Amino acid sequence: MKKYLITLLSFISLSANAANAADLTVYTYDSFVSEWGPGPQLEKAFEAQCQCDLEFIVAEDGVSILNRLRIEQDRTKADIILGIDDALIEIARREQLVQPHGMELSQITSDLQWQDHDFVPFDYGYFAFIYNSEKITTPVSSLKELVDSKATVIYQDPRTSTPGQGLMLWVKAVYGDQSTEAWQQLSSHTLTVTKGWWEAYSLFLQGDADYVLSYNTSPAYHVVAEKKSQYKAALFSEGHVAQIEVAAITRSSKQPERAREFLTFLVSAEAQAIIPTSNWMLPVVDDVVLPPVFDQLISPQRIGFSPIEIADQRAGWIREWRSAASR
Amino acid sequence: MSLKTAGWLSLAFILLITTVSFQGLIGFRNEGPDWALLQDDYFQQILQFSLKQALLSALLSVAFAWPVARALYYLPDLSGRRLFLGLCLLCFVMPTLIVITGLVALLGHSGFLSPLISLFTSKPWNLYGLSGILLAHVFLNMPFAVRVIYLQLQAIPDSSWKLATQLKLSPSQRLGIIEWPGIRGVMLMLSGFIFVLCFNSFAIVLALGGGPQSTTLEVAIYQALKYDFNIPEALTLAWTQLVIAGSLFLMVSRLGSPGWLSPDTASHSSTPTAQGKSRFVLQAIYGIAWLLMLLPILALLPGLLQGGLHGGLQNFNPADLLSPTMVTLALGLIAACGGMLLAYLLLQPVRAAAIRNQPRRRLLLEWLATHNLVAPAMVVSVGLFVFLLPNIDLDRWGILFVALLNTAMVVPFAIQKLKPRLLQFDQQYNALCRSLKLNGLARWRIEWPFLRPALASSFALVLVLAMGDVAIFSIFGNPQWNTLPWLIYGYAGSYRIAEASLASILLLILCGLILWGVEKLQGADDKPNKIRRKKTDTETPHA
């Protein structure tokens, strides 16, 4: 008993002065700061530029970053959240978790038509199904063809994983009111629904499934990092849903100036040259010199919903998916 | 502070943890449960699945355990029986991630036995889903059931067998008149206990469920909190789970608790020994049980060898395992010491109620003391997390809460083990102690030798249980304080089977050593069989 009291007391006294040592604290998802992700390089470059100490704090994924901020509210340590995607930005805004960035953003590529005052995009890609062209010679050419086929598919849980959420939006955009039937049809030849992207992709690479949900940029990784060209993204005639990854300054940041400096750095030519070949997504500014394979990636037509539509309907769509897929 | 006060304080303490965590959730936005969910397809689906998998797991575990326990009982000269019983115990407390890794290596998409199984099934074999969950649950709980049923069989009085011989009862008559009535009660209770454990199963369902069609309430709570931060939904699920598991557990407690380690001292000179054909059958069953229990463990080895040969372990530095091993041991020791102390103190009011012959009060106190067995672990951890996060730097101090919550989680197991021994002590010595006016230290001096074997074995059990935790670590842990199970989870999640196997084997060896050390300390477990072996028995077999 006494032991607990002492531990508890020491907590309270210690936590009071456990103020964080870093000059700028960024919440992000774990693969962003893994040794092969963009985090370490960005940290080094930015610290050299600002002569300050940058600290990444890791959550499992974009959704977790948001949830953590929701719990901590004004007591958060984060000055910046980095790595939620465009589907979540309206939800974060409505809970007043972020503040306007006050930046110009004229350098952002016109493809994105970016107008948001709170969030700054730092990379993007299109969701796509990846296949092994040595195994599949004539890939499916539309989402409907995939759903109606018997090909084995691995995708991610829309509740945990942003690609999974992307597929949910994709199905909704293509099928509308018929989504329930489409999910049931798809689940009849789904091998497994994984928690995160990495689990799904590893399983696919072991050769267990015909298609895995990932990004149109994934083949670039295999070419550049592994010199393998058999992995390809299937181009779907209905169009693809895009994922734009964004960062923002938290409402309660005590370092808004420095935070803005970091966001500016994030869309600078220097940072944008690091991101494509470490996070394997497309840069958000034009004129970045990329390995030639990036020119061969599919560039689909963009379909989907606005962040506001997603914020209004996400919960209902998730319920629809889980009822249909759990049967 | 007297023991009695300390007992009540401990009860207040563990109830406080649960209350604070529920309050953390309810008070976050002042949201209550979302009862509309009860009408939802999805809810009914997961409730059905939770019940179905728990029921099947319990029935299969007990059904498979019975023949194995009979083999142990009717074949006194089995070789390796002590090792077998040790293995049974190890299986029951084995960290779930070892089981998962082993099963994936054995029966996963590229498992060793998968092609073999596909020959017998019409569809391609798929581990993920109900089949995987059942396999893992039966692997963990069947050995436990073997031990309990075996001990119960040993409790059949010698005089019954003598009588059976005199009356020339046929094998089926013996089964119906002596054996079945002897174990019926324990079978029922055992099924209930395993049902509750499987009903609350988390890591196995999360890892082997393979999607939304096989989700249990506990996993759904995790998803509601972790993915959607949907507190009303999590609360509805949590209350549902608490009510179902809680009432079932209450019924099980009324039947008594399984004494799976209680040393048996009765003699067994008239117990029949199986002969002829049934002897062969029982021997075969024993052999198969060995094989089935060892397979998932042995399956870890080829993954390791392959990794070593094909370079899967190339980028792997064995020193990476050192710190997680130390953290795992330290956390386990803290939780086990705290859990044992709490359990001992929590039992004080229970003992008092037993002495004063107040069965209802005793049952209530017992239920409260062991409520963490049925309270959804996810709600407790996440609720506490929500409550603490705004006030305490959990990136720094989270690990202490991993220890604290693990302490609370192992308390029910420590209580289950200590309770029978303490109550027995009171029955035998309480009156004496009182008439001699022995209190405090003097009384403890008498209690200690009586309690020591039970203390040692339950300490080992809760230590191993705490060392296997992933659920709590997934909420409070951070990479700086990585534990072995969490490391395995990470490796297995990214299909790095070689690394996962290596870490699993290390953890398994640690757990095995702990249990083996304690069995060694206890020593005298198997004496009754030695007595039996001296006697040449000519009884006819039983099967």
Side-chain angles (χ1 to χ4, degrees):
Chain A
M1 227 15 250
K2 215 168 166 187
K3 191 177 86 193
Y4 290 115
L5 283 176
I6 294 169
T7 1
L8 259 169
L9 283 176
S10 58
F11 270 140
I12 296 160
S13 58
L14 281 169
S15 59
N17 52 36
N20 96 69
D23 300 314
L24 194 68
T25 304
V26 179
Y27 284 2
T28 187
Y29 53 84
D30 51 10
S31 64
F32 193 84
V33 291
S34 68
E35 47 189 313
W36 56 85
Q41 289 180 68
L42 292 177
E43 184 174 353
K44 214 168 129 200
F46 181 70
E47 284 181 347
Q49 180 191 317
C50 79
Q51 297 296 315
C52 60
D53 180 23
L54 174 75
E55 186 188 18
F56 285 114
I57 289 185
V58 175
E60 260 178 272
D61 45 61
V63 186
S64 308
I65 300 172
L66 186 61
N67 285 344
R68 180 151 177 187
L69 203 58
R70 280 165 157 173
I71 302 171
E72 293 177 331
Q73 297 284 337
D74 276 348
R75 299 192 211 189
T76 185
K77 288 189 285 188
D79 298 298
I80 286 180
I81 52 168
L82 182 156
I84 72 169
D85 72 355
D86 53 328
L88 291 172
I89 65 181
E90 196 55 33
I91 296 165
R93 185 165 23 234
R94 284 182 187 175
E95 300 202 23
Q96 297 173 344
L97 298 172
V98 295
Q99 56 171 294
H101 53 65
M103 288 161 58
E104 263 301 310
L105 296 184
S106 54
Q107 71 273 49
I108 301 295
T109 172
S110 55
D111 291 355
L112 293 181
Q113 300 181 334
W114 197 257
Q115 305 267 317
D116 202 285
H117 297 296
D118 297 324
F119 293 89
V120 176
F122 63 88
D123 63 21
Y124 78 106
Y126 294 94
F127 297 115
F129 281 93
I130 306 295
Y131 63 96
N132 182 348
S133 62
E134 285 173 358
K135 251 172 76 182
I136 294 174
T137 41
T138 41
V140 289
S141 62
S142 70
L143 185 60
K144 286 196 168 149
E145 200 186 326
L146 178 71
V147 168
D148 292 337
S149 75
K150 287 200 157 54
T152 47
V153 172
I154 306 176
Y155 69 93
Q156 301 83 358
D157 192 322
R159 295 166 299 184
T160 31
S161 142
T162 48
Q165 177 170 284
L167 180 63
M168 182 180 82
L169 301 177
W170 205 353
V171 166
K172 202 71 208 171
V174 171
Y175 283 92
D177 294 340
Q178 267 90 55
S179 300
T180 302
E181 290 77 15
W183 283 122
Q184 279 169 1
Q185 181 72 25
L186 182 62
S187 70
S188 71
H189 51 100
T190 299
L191 190 67
T192 181
V193 179
T194 65
K195 200 161 143 267
W197 173 86
W198 175 243
E199 285 128 300
Y201 209 74
S202 317
L203 207 53
F204 165 74
L205 290 181
Q206 295 200 339
D208 286 314
D210 298 328
Y211 293 92
V212 65
L213 180 65
S214 185
Y215 297 92
N216 70 323
T217 44
S218 303
Y221 162 78
H222 294 288
V223 172
V224 176
E226 301 179 330
K227 313 258 178 293
K228 286 182 187 165
S229 57
Q230 70 265 43
Y231 296 106
K232 301 226 184 316
L235 181 65
F236 284 1
S237 57
E238 298 101 337
H240 291 227
V241 170
Q243 176 177 48
I244 306 168
E245 293 197 279
V246 298
I249 308 171
T250 60
R251 177 183 64 194
S252 55
S253 170
K254 297 190 180 59
Q255 310 273 356
E257 277 312 313
R258 186 155 275 162
R260 199 162 300 129
E261 196 186 331
F262 180 75
L263 293 186
T264 312
F265 165 76
L266 206 56
V267 291
S268 69
E270 186 185 4
Q272 286 293 307
I274 294 173
I275 290 172
T277 50
S278 53
N279 215 30
W280 302 101
M281 294 286 267
L282 300 169
V284 294
V285 298
D286 301 320
D287 317 324
V288 176
V289 183
L290 295 170
V293 58
F294 276 83
D295 296 332
Q296 295 156 24
L297 300 178
I298 57 164
S299 44
Q301 177 205 344
R302 184 176 167 191
I303 55 169
F305 300 92
S306 73
I308 295 178
E309 286 170 308
I310 298 170
D312 289 340
Q313 316 240 32
R314 184 175 178 271
W317 291 343
I318 292 244
R319 270 202 295 279
E320 181 184 75
W321 166 78
R322 71 183 188 187
S323 292
S326 67
R327 232 168 269 161
Chain B
M1 190 161 57
S2 79
L3 266 183
K4 201 173 146 196
T5 347
W8 289 109
L9 276 177
S10 308
L11 192 61
F13 177 68
I14 61 156
L15 289 174
L16 186 73
I17 295 180
T18 311
T19 327
V20 161
S21 50
F22 269 83
Q23 183 52 38
L25 287 184
I26 298 168
F28 182 68
R29 269 184 214 143
N30 275 319
E31 291 170 318
D34 166 22
W35 296 118
L37 184 71
L38 299 181
Q39 307 290 328
D40 198 316
D41 260 11
Y42 169 74
F43 172 80
Q44 285 163 7
Q45 170 69 31
I46 53 175
L47 181 60
Q48 259 177 32
F49 184 80
S50 307
L51 292 168
K52 184 170 95 181
Q53 61 84 14
L55 189 69
L56 283 174
S57 303
L59 291 180
L60 289 176
S61 301
V62 174
F64 290 144
W66 191 15
V68 183
R70 297 189 80 219
L72 286 170
Y73 183 60
Y74 292 114
L75 300 174
D77 49 356
L78 280 177
S79 49
R81 89 167 34 234
R82 275 196 67 166
L83 209 57
F84 182 80
L85 286 170
L87 182 65
C88 283
L89 190 61
L90 182 62
C91 284
F92 176 55
V93 290
M94 189 181 290
T96 46
L97 277 159
I98 301 180
V99 183
I100 294 167
T101 314
L103 283 178
V104 170
L106 201 61
L107 299 163
H109 291 289
S110 30
F112 306 111
L113 291 185
S114 304
L116 201 69
I117 293 193
S118 291
L119 293 180
F120 298 100
T121 50
S122 50
K123 283 203 291 182
W125 162 253
N126 187 1
L127 176 70
Y128 298 92
L130 184 64
S131 43
I133 295 173
L134 287 183
L135 276 172
H137 281 165
V138 170
F139 177 81
L140 287 169
N141 292 304
M142 191 270 280
F144 161 67
V146 168
R147 282 188 73 116
V148 177
I149 299 173
Y150 171 58
L151 280 178
Q152 189 65 22
L153 284 172
Q154 286 197 320
I156 296 175
D158 229 24
S159 52
S160 302
W161 290 125
K162 271 190 193 132
L163 207 61
T165 319
Q166 282 156 8
L167 295 174
K168 297 199 167 43
L169 294 184
S170 72
S172 60
Q173 278 173 320
R174 291 176 180 214
L175 185 68
I177 297 172
I178 302 177
E179 189 181 323
W180 177 245
I183 58 169
R184 194 173 45 200
V186 90
M187 295 281 254
L188 198 65
M189 184 197 60
L190 201 53
S191 310
F193 188 70
I194 296 175
F195 182 93
V196 171
L197 288 182
C198 295
F199 189 69
N200 288 2
S201 173
F202 174 72
I204 285 175
V205 181
L206 194 64
L208 296 177
Q213 67 277 20
S214 27
T215 303
T216 56
L217 287 170
E218 185 89 10
V219 171
I221 293 171
Y222 170 78
Q223 287 164 342
L225 287 171
K226 180 98 186 175
Y227 306 177
D228 300 337
F229 208 60
N230 188 339
I231 293 173
E233 188 173 303
L235 284 172
T236 317
L237 295 165
W239 285 119
T240 313
Q241 178 168 0
L242 198 60
V243 166
I244 296 177
S247 45
L248 226 127
F249 184 58
L250 195 64
M251 288 194 300
V252 175
S253 318
R254 283 189 61 167
L255 291 168
S257 67
W260 69 86
L261 276 182
S262 42
D264 183 18
T265 47
S267 86
H268 292 275
S269 50
S270 305
T271 312
T273 307
Q275 302 287 335
K277 203 173 102 196
S278 70
R279 179 181 177 82
F280 176 74
V281 171
L282 287 178
Q283 267 171 342
I285 289 171
Y286 179 69
I288 292 169
W290 260 110
L291 188 69
L292 290 181
M293 279 160 65
L294 281 178
L295 264 180
I297 302 174
L298 293 177
L300 297 172
L301 296 174
L304 196 63
L305 289 176
Q306 237 175 17
L309 293 177
H310 301 306
L313 288 171
Q314 236 167 30
N315 305 322
F316 184 75
N317 181 3
D320 291 349
L321 291 177
L322 188 67
S323 147
T325 308
M326 290 301 150
V327 174
T328 308
L329 271 174
L331 278 177
L333 282 172
I334 295 173
C337 291
M340 292 298 292
L341 182 69
L342 270 179
Y344 181 76
L345 295 175
L346 284 165
L347 280 168
Q348 297 307 317
V350 176
R351 291 167 75 180
I355 290 168
R356 279 189 237 115
N357 203 8
Q358 299 164 308
R360 271 162 190 270
R361 182 185 163 92
R362 187 189 127 183
L363 199 63
L364 176 72
L365 285 170
E366 264 178 47
W367 194 90
L368 287 176
T370 49
H371 78 277
N372 278 326
L373 197 64
V374 291
M378 266 303 139
V379 171
V380 175
S381 344
V382 178
L384 206 61
F385 185 77
V386 170
F387 184 80
L388 294 172
L389 189 58
N391 305 308
I392 289 179
D393 184 358
L394 285 179
D395 293 318
R396 188 174 292 202
W397 304 110
I399 196 69
L400 292 177
F401 288 94
V402 176
L404 176 74
L405 280 176
N406 266 310
T407 306
M409 289 302 151
V410 298
V411 162
F413 293 93
I415 286 184
Q416 294 269 1
K417 280 283 295 121
L418 286 184
K419 190 184 70 180
R421 199 73 185 155
L422 280 171
L423 292 182
Q424 195 189 348
F425 175 84
D426 286 344
Q427 244 172 17
Q428 290 176 3
Y429 300 107
N430 184 52
L432 187 68
C433 285
R434 286 187 57 166
S435 64
L436 292 173
K437 294 202 170 39
L438 290 180
N439 273 315
L441 204 60
R443 192 187 157 114
W444 173 247
R445 273 211 198 109
I446 305 174
E447 220 174 272
W448 169 246
F450 192 82
L451 204 57
R452 207 179 49 199
L455 271 180
S457 61
S458 28
F459 182 80
L461 264 184
V462 296
L463 175 59
V464 173
L465 279 175
M467 280 168 55
D469 163 73
V470 274
I472 296 167
F473 193 90
S474 72
I475 306 291
F476 282 97
N478 70 43
Q480 237 184 320
W481 295 93
N482 228 338
T483 62
L484 270 182
W486 192 249
L487 207 62
I488 301 172
Y489 180 73
Y491 288 145
S494 41
Y495 300 92
R496 290 162 72 181
I497 297 300
E499 284 97 329
S501 305
L502 184 67
S504 298
I505 287 170
L506 180 62
L507 183 58
L508 190 68
I509 290 173
L510 277 179
C511 297
L513 278 179
I514 290 168
L515 293 177
W516 177 77
V518 168
E519 290 255 324
K520 197 95 183 141
L521 274 178
Q522 279 194 312
D525 238 19
D526 240 20
K527 268 185 191 147
N529 294 307
K530 285 183 192 131
I531 298 167
R532 268 178 74 191
R533 250 171 249 148
K534 284 180 197 153
K535 196 174 145 99
T536 352
D537 219 317
T538 49
E539 298 286 344
T540 42
H542 235 271

